[in-house]
Amino acid sequence: MSLQAVGVLGTGRYVPERVLTNHELEKMVDTNDEWIVTRTGIRERRIAAPEQASSDLAYEASKIALDKAGISPEEIDLIIVATITPDMSFPSTACILQDKLGAKKAAAFDLSAACSGFIYSLANASNFIATGTYKYALVVGAECLSKITDYTDRNTCILFGDGAGAVVLGPVAEGRGFKSFELGADGTGGPLLKVEAGGSRCPASPQSLEGKQHFIYMAGAEVFKFAVRIMGSAAEDALRKAGIDKSDVDLLVPHQANIRIIQSALQRLALSEDKCMINLHKYGNVSAASIPIALAEADEEGRLKEGDCVVLVGFGGGLTWGASVLVW
Ligand code: ACO
């Protein structure tokens, strides 16, 4: 069976209006702008309004992506939302989004792979289209990390922000679109990055609230070491699978966790910083939303030209990682 070439038909992003700067964080925890900038590269992040949930951010980003693709919600066959901050346990955020958009014929589900979730979701959706099961898919990364962040914990609260990015996937001409996916997981590293309570292991209770177990816990230094190792190797593996040399990469769109992690990936791939989309200074780490927001912003800035070789790469809780090579 010959496979249909699948690519990105439109991109969109949305970030909430409220900006939380490093200087404001100085007043909340024992930190300072200089420490945050030199250790992470982050200067500010966006914070959702109390009434905003992930599906609201996803909806705004999706409308833009659909508009750019020239595809109506009724034409969408599949919606996947990558998120670790769903509106609620169930129904899925994807079903809530399907309703908001009026995408009546779309199958819809959430995908949980933390910051790698968007690349995992792209792999899923593109396979459905490549095999002819579906024609158009909406893939969204949407997060309200501020809602699960402890703003008394300086180890984590300086890192995270809120936002959403979306892409519409569909058939493209032979030679363009996704060339490879490289996905991986190492469950032994699960305890390094987690929200412990609220699931079936540790349901919500007065004790779980007291113990702040509904907030993100992160062993930062260990995650950092893992990230430095995996970002370069996952991107290299995806390029090898695609049969493309790293010298032919036009743009790297990495997960925006820490500028030092991005720089180490650039070094390994022998790429200069002008071949990399970096926006973490404005938005911080937005988990599953960070790659699609960066991709949409690169698109807006005219940094994606037809025929360009684009590499997406991310890592996150699970532990998980993912990389993809596509010809724009
Ligand atoms: N301000 C000032 N000092 C701080 C802060 C802060 N905000 N946070 C930590 N420190 C202190 C520490 O307490 C420590 O002090 P000590 O030496 O007296 O104990 C010192 O700074 C150094 O701490 P380290 O943890 O060694 O700092 P490091 O250089 O590793 O940077 C950071 C910490 C930024 C968290 C880094 O480890 C990192 O980026 N890790 C990866 C995080 C990540 O990418 N997560 C992604 C996944 S998110 C997801 O999947 C949802």
Side-chain angles (χ1 to χ4, degrees):
M1 182 175 85
S2 71
L3 295 176
Q4 169 65 52
V6 182
V8 175
L9 307 182
T11 63
R13 73 184 173 96
Y14 172 81
V15 290
E17 274 170 36
R18 162 88 167 98
V19 176
L20 177 63
T21 64
N22 289 351
H23 293 294
E24 282 176 89
L25 283 165
E26 285 176 357
K27 296 181 197 127
M28 296 158 69
V29 288
D30 181 16
T31 191
N32 59 76
D33 176 58
E34 201 249 326
W35 191 97
I36 303 173
V37 173
T38 53
R39 296 292 182 110
T40 71
I42 301 166
R43 292 182 184 276
E44 56 189 45
R45 62 291 290 142
R46 298 301 179 98
I47 304 296
E51 68 279 8
Q52 275 181 319
S54 293
S55 71
D56 300 316
L57 314 190
Y59 174 67
E60 299 299 334
S62 298
K63 276 195 306 185
I64 298 168
L66 287 163
D67 238 38
K68 283 200 185 156
I71 304 286
S72 73
E74 294 80 12
E75 291 174 272
I76 293 291
D77 300 297
L78 173 68
I79 298 174
I80 307 179
V81 176
T83 185
I84 53 166
T85 48
D87 288 24
M88 55 191 87
S89 291
F90 73 91
S92 69
T93 302
C95 283
I96 297 168
L97 179 63
Q98 187 235 29
D99 178 42
K100 282 183 201 281
L101 289 169
K104 290 190 173 62
K105 76 167 177 181
F109 64 90
D110 287 0
L111 191 148
S112 171
C115 308
S116 315
F118 182 72
I119 295 178
Y120 267 65
S121 300
L122 287 178
N124 264 277
S126 83
N127 281 338
F128 277 116
I129 298 167
T131 53
T133 308
Y134 294 133
K135 189 168 183 193
Y136 298 120
L138 175 66
V139 179
V140 187
E143 303 284 12
C144 285
L145 295 176
S146 65
K147 315 251 181 178
I148 57 166
T149 296
D150 176 3
Y151 285 96
T152 65
D153 175 14
R154 69 175 183 173
N155 292 300
T156 53
C157 74
I158 57 146
L159 298 173
F160 301 116
D162 302 338
V167 295
V168 176
L169 300 189
V172 292
E174 207 47 53
R176 292 181 61 195
F178 295 101
K179 296 293 166 193
S180 69
F181 285 99
E182 174 68 27
L183 307 178
D186 175 8
T188 64
L192 299 177
L193 195 49
K194 61 184 175 183
V195 172
E196 205 157 33
S200 57
R201 177 72 59 199
C202 179
S205 68
Q207 291 75 23
S208 68
L209 284 176
E210 177 84 14
K212 298 189 168 184
Q213 289 169 288
H214 297 271
F215 290 130
I216 297 174
Y217 164 83
M218 184 180 73
E222 281 82 357
V223 175
F224 187 89
K225 278 181 237 154
F226 157 74
V228 163
R229 179 170 55 79
I230 211 69
M231 287 277 274
S233 68
E236 280 181 347
D237 289 345
L239 281 163
R240 200 173 305 119
K241 270 191 189 171
I244 293 175
D245 194 81
K246 52 191 176 190
S247 60
D248 291 325
V249 174
D250 294 297
L251 190 69
L252 181 74
V253 184
H255 174 45
Q256 311 280 316
N258 185 316
I259 190 68
R260 293 182 293 144
I261 296 171
I262 292 175
Q263 282 162 348
S264 78
L266 286 173
Q267 207 172 355
R268 174 135 177 200
L269 297 168
L271 290 175
S272 53
E273 223 168 274
D274 61 312
K275 289 205 168 178
C276 184
M277 185 63 203
I278 299 172
N279 62 7
L280 87 174
H281 52 289
K282 295 187 287 186
Y283 309 128
N285 180 346
V286 201
S287 194
S290 94
I291 292 174
I293 290 174
L295 191 67
E297 210 162 82
D299 199 10
E300 284 164 29
E301 291 173 6
R303 292 184 70 177
L304 295 163
K305 312 235 167 14
E306 195 172 320
D308 275 0
C309 172
V310 181
V311 176
L312 315 178
V313 61
F315 68 93
L319 298 168
T320 55
W321 58 92
S324 178
V325 176
L326 73 151
V327 174
W328 199 254

